[in-house]
Amino acid sequence: MTLKESAANAAAQSLRTVFDQLDNGGTNPGDVRVANTAMDVAAVFGVTAQDYARLLNRS
């Protein structure tokens, strides 16, 4: 697994957590910060919205 794939997977997992919370009526601010930070790190490795769409649609 490459660094890009690892970063994309970590960010997608964080996003999934936040999306699940939204489905249940709210979010945890700490989880939102984690997702934002993970996406910032993933962006350094070239992760795009298309990568997230592919990963999030797998589950």
Side-chain angles (χ1 to χ4, degrees):
M1 181 176 290
T2 67
L3 286 174
K4 179 181 176 179
E5 292 169 333
S6 294
N9 285 335
Q13 287 175 342
S14 295
L15 284 170
R16 172 58 59 210
T17 297
V18 172
F19 291 156
D20 288 346
Q21 290 173 1
L22 285 168
D23 287 343
N24 292 317
T27 59
N28 177 318
D31 290 333
V32 173
R33 279 190 297 277
V34 168
N36 284 334
T37 301
M39 290 184 345
D40 287 344
V41 170
V44 171
F45 295 104
V47 177
T48 66
Q50 289 177 335
D51 295 319
Y52 292 125
R54 179 180 47 80
L55 290 168
L56 293 170
N57 287 326
R58 276 195 325 205
S59 47

